[in-house]
Amino acid sequence: MTRILPRKDAVIVGLGWTGSIIANELADEGLDVLALERGPWRDTATDFNIGYAQDELRYAIRKDLFLQPALEAITMRNNPSQTALPMRDYGSFLPGHGVGGAGVHWNGHTWRFWDSEFRINSHLTERYGAAKFAGLDLQDWGVTAAEMEPYYDAFEYLCGISGKAGNIRGQKQPGGNPFEDPRAREYPLPPMQMTYAPTLFAEAARTLNLSPFPTPSANLSGAYVNSLGVAMGQCTMCGFCERFGCANYSKSSAQTCVLPVLMRKRNFELRTECEVLKVELHRSGNMARGVTYVDSSGEEFFQPADIVLLCAYGLQNVRLMMLSGIGKQYDPNTNEGTVGRNYCYQTNCGTQVFLEGKELNPFIAAGSLGQTVDDFNGDAFDHGNVNFVGGAGINCIPTNARPIGYRPVPPGTPRWGSAWKRETARNYRSTLSFGCQGSSYPQRSNYLDLDPTYKDRHGRPLLRMTFEFPDNDIRMSHFMSDRSEEIARALGGRQHTTSRATKAWNSVPYQSTHNTGGAIMGTDPTRSAVNRYLQSWDVNNVFVVGASAFAHNAGKNPTGTVGALAFLAADAIRNRYLKAAGQPLVAA
């Protein structure tokens, strides 16, 4: 029997970046807020203690902080003609599990998307004509960079981002990203102190007339007190960021930036190890009554709420919408429907340069300590003479030299034995790596839906992912591999190797935890699942916040935009929705 609980003003599904930001904002508004988190409580002092936080085997290899397929699997295929099979181990991407979500184990790259990204269909059509991107389902997001600027600013000052502005109120700033849109002020902290590898990379890039700049970093360059009054520490460059929690309170996360304030508020409650099964709708279908969830003992509860906010990992947001009947599920055959549409990923390639006589000391590292070149990102360059749209940032960010996973050796080296040991010793300290993180654009046959065969332990259909790299994105990535070759030659060295993107997408090797789309924002309710305020077009009191809202993915990490969207949604609820008495914020 389902136990019915006392009503809450707002119930939030998931307590990562978006859930914690929105919970704090709504609690400040005076709402009685409840967050339901499927995973366990995680806290810096108890879960990322300095005595064991830097355990490569536990966290990087055995994936202690990540979602396990026994809890929730995903089925995968490359095209609709194939039968999808369950992913038995998360490989290509690694969703987080527990309080803080994927924001616990990220590296900390914190980007702003450009106005040309938010207006991508309009921008590319105006500049090149629609025929330039025929076959891609590009659409505008419904917001502009100018409208997003204060929300980006709020996230950066919450996190204490280390960086150098390139454009303040229209004035270009030496040393920053020359391609960025205007921002209101400088980053909260100066850039991190550069190590040798990114310094060499930047020098080589300048010889090619490129414009390197410090990567905006959520690894703090100095001590900082954030916009909520939370004190954070300076990064010690230990090289244990990605796949790890930070023991030093110096990598921005919900734990270090929001929870110390949020957990003290009497009108906020967190229930961990509680999995939401479904959003329950009124008979009318256009309002939610609350959510049904089960706790760790298997007991089922119904939590009534006036507002329901889906703030889980993007893929799980989409699945929960489908399981709850919120919106029309996308059908690639008819190109109709909204939920599941425009699933995108990231299109990457990488380069290794084996130097001689250079001691790079790669173990002095952090997740975002490095230099980036954006000359070929997005539409920063003229695409008139190339056979693709989109681009990539070129990033030299030596994140770690951990002893199990970091073994750079040239091609042709045996995979074990004395020769492998010799090459490992020779190259460990002198290999310079950099990568291209490329855009991912939607095509009709890339989408999310519910699997007709496989179910989870609660009897619910698994999420099915259908994805293949579009031809456009493959051509873009090959162009970026060629640009990487030019930088590698400028760096010198006795040898270098550059990867090249290929079909078919393989779900086994790790590539990027940058899954986007499926519940995208926009201005057309027939082609987007949520409006510009992240409010469902179909269910007025449901807001869906996260990378699921991205109409495509740019050549940048998504977290900065995810955080900005959380502030945008919270602002809309506080200053529009509550005054509108639960009505749609945008006319359909």
Side-chain angles (χ1 to χ4, degrees), residues 359-377:
E359 299 293 343
L360 304 181
N361 293 333
F363 44 82
I364 304 172
S368 300
L369 195 168
Q371 294 272 329
T372 292
V373 167
D374 259 358
D375 297 67
F376 305 108
N377 209 343

Side-chain angles (χ1 to χ4, degrees), residues 343-357:
Y343 172 69
C344 294
Y345 193 38
Q346 205 91 69
T347 316
N348 299 330
C349 59
T351 297
Q352 283 188 317
V353 183
F354 300 94
L355 301 172
E356 292 282 11

Side-chain angles (χ1 to χ4, degrees), residues 18-157:
T18 58
S20 63
I21 289 170
I22 292 176
N24 190 65
E25 291 287 312
L26 297 189
D28 281 350
E29 190 63 24
L31 273 62
D32 189 10
V33 181
L34 167 68
L36 297 171
E37 168 57 51
R38 174 170 61 181
W41 168 253
R42 297 194 192 278
D43 180 72
T44 301
T46 56
D47 292 279
F48 314 132
N49 187 279
I50 192 66
Y52 55 79
Q54 296 161 333
D55 185 337
E56 184 180 6
L57 183 62
R58 175 178 176 180
Y59 295 109
I61 307 302
R62 294 177 177 165
K63 304 174 184 176
D64 190 77
L65 296 177
F66 304 128
L67 178 66
Q68 299 300 317
L71 187 66
E72 180 179 340
I74 295 174
T75 69
M76 301 185 177
R77 60 183 182 176
N78 291 119
N79 62 71
S81 70
Q82 298 173 336
T83 299
L85 295 174
M87 194 177 198
R88 300 301 184 185
D89 185 30
Y90 282 102
S92 178
F93 50 88
L94 300 171
H97 181 57
V99 171
V104 170
H105 65 78
W106 70 316
N107 264 327
H109 305 201
T110 310
W111 296 102
R112 297 185 176 197
F113 284 14
W114 298 337
D115 191 65
S116 56
E117 302 286 356
F118 293 122
R119 297 181 57 258
I120 189 165
N121 186 291
S122 298
H123 172 84
L124 293 179
T125 300
E126 291 163 4
R127 188 168 184 184
Y128 305 109
K132 182 71 175 179
F133 53 95
L136 299 174
D137 284 352
L138 295 173
Q139 60 188 81
D140 296 351
W141 293 37
V143 293
T144 65
E147 291 169 328
M148 289 294 294
E149 199 285 330
Y151 305 116
Y152 276 122
D153 182 87
F155 186 65
E156 289 167 359
Y157 274 76

Side-chain angles (χ1 to χ4, degrees), residues 406-449:
Y406 185 77
R407 300 282 174 160
V409 294
T413 302
R415 300 184 66 181
W416 63 282
S418 59
W420 174 77
K421 293 178 182 178
R422 184 169 57 251
E423 286 300 315
T424 295
R426 180 187 186 189
N427 295 287
Y428 178 82
R429 296 176 64 185
S430 59
T431 300
L432 189 153
S433 300
F434 57 93
C436 298
Q437 182 162 252
S439 53
S440 179
Y441 286 165
Q443 62 182 8
R444 187 166 171 171
S445 58
N446 288 343
Y447 63 100
L448 305 170
D449 67 352

Side-chain angles (χ1 to χ4, degrees), residues 307-509:
I307 307 173
V308 175
L309 298 111
L310 303 187
C311 295
Y313 191 71
L315 297 174
Q316 288 135 21
N317 281 347
V318 176
R319 181 181 181 225
L320 197 52
M321 291 181 74
M322 293 176 179
L323 293 172
S324 305
I326 299 173
K328 182 179 179 181
Q329 191 163 302
Y330 173 66
D331 182 350
N333 296 312
T334 63
N335 204 27
E336 296 179 346
T338 58
V339 183
R341 176 189 288 271
N342 282 37
Y343 172 69
C344 294
Y345 193 38
Q346 205 91 69
T347 316
N348 299 330
C349 59
T351 297
Q352 283 188 317
V353 183
F354 300 94
L355 301 172
E356 292 282 11
K358 303 287 187 182
E359 299 293 343
L360 304 181
N361 293 333
F363 44 82
I364 304 172
S368 300
L369 195 168
Q371 294 272 329
T372 292
V373 167
D374 259 358
D375 297 67
F376 305 108
N377 209 343
D379 202 38
F381 65 105
D382 188 351
H383 287 68
N385 294 321
V386 297
N387 59 353
F388 62 86
V389 289
I394 309 176
N395 308 290
C396 181
I397 305 171
T399 62
N400 75 91
R402 298 189 291 264
I404 299 176
Y406 185 77
R407 300 282 174 160
V409 294
T413 302
R415 300 184 66 181
W416 63 282
S418 59
W420 174 77
K421 293 178 182 178
R422 184 169 57 251
E423 286 300 315
T424 295
R426 180 187 186 189
N427 295 287
Y428 178 82
R429 296 176 64 185
S430 59
T431 300
L432 189 153
S433 300
F434 57 93
C436 298
Q437 182 162 252
S439 53
S440 179
Y441 286 165
Q443 62 182 8
R444 187 166 171 171
S445 58
N446 288 343
Y447 63 100
L448 305 170
D449 67 352
L450 296 177
D451 194 280
T453 304
Y454 296 97
K455 294 179 170 54
D456 68 9
R457 68 195 192 286
H458 300 296
R460 303 175 302 169
L462 298 183
L463 185 72
R464 180 170 64 177
M465 177 183 291
T466 305
F467 179 77
E468 179 58 282
F469 293 113
D471 290 338
N472 172 85
D473 296 3
I474 293 289
R475 292 192 292 267
M476 176 277 298
S477 189
H478 289 176
F479 174 87
M480 295 307 305
S481 292
D482 292 342
R483 305 291 77 73
S484 297
E485 290 276 340
E486 294 168 357
I487 297 175
R489 286 192 288 270
L491 280 162
R494 70 178 188 278
Q495 185 178 354
H496 69 265
T497 178
T498 298
S499 64
R500 302 186 79 84
T502 61
K503 293 174 178 275
W505 169 67
N506 185 345
S507 67
V508 176

